[in-house]
Amino acid sequence: MFANFDFDVIHRSWYYLFSVGMSFTLKLTFFAMVGGIMVGTILAMMRLSSHKSLSLLATSYVNLMRSIPLVLVIFWFYFLVPYIGAWIIGSSEPVKVGAFASSLITFIMFEAAYYCEIMRSGIQSIPRGQVNAGYALGMNYWQTMGNIVLPQAFRNMVPVLLTQTIVLFQDVSLVYVLSITDFVGAASKIAQRDGRLVEMYLFVAVVYFVLCYALSYFVKKLQTRVAIIR
């Protein structure tokens, strides 16, 4: 089965794959995670707001994003963001948005919908009595959320947030459809150049499996450490 398998192409290319492709993938994953959690937290607070207009707006956004395939969202943002930017600043020409910036905006806005639901469940897991205690101490809504609710919610949701980040790490490979040199894109270029598709794509699969399995194991161990005993 592996009689014609060329291990040398992997040996020749691994440095390029990790220094260029994997570094892009990890950078995009990290910034999309940070941005997605921030926007997702705001959306979660909007969904739980007593103002129906805010709640409806956030709910509609979350349902919309979770109902559309990610690859379509990637295409939409890649082609529409330059025109949206031009409309905002009143320019007659599309704003030049780099591939990284476009991809980052896409993943932040898309993943925010999923982080929103995670944070919403985390916020709702905090006993209502603690919220009322915050109000009794003279705190307003934002002070209560920032000082009492959100710190506990984040601690409760850390394993789930990291699990969603693992999914995000895998989804980043879809930027390959825009010819961006992420890990999969870098492997594809080498595979096409050397005619070694099996070797390169198998190597990519093994790397993703090892990294995701290790991260999942870490999340499982972390879950037992950060859980709040009630």
Side-chain angles (χ1 to χ4, degrees), residues 51-62:
H51 297 281
K52 291 185 178 180
S53 57
L54 288 177
S55 179
L56 179 61
L57 179 63
T59 301
S60 300
Y61 177 85
V62 170

Side-chain angles (χ1 to χ4, degrees), residues 139 141-152:
M139 295 183 182
Y141 174 77
W142 296 104
Q143 290 173 328
T144 302
M145 293 296 292
N147 296 307
I148 298 177
V149 177
L150 288 180
Q152 296 183 76

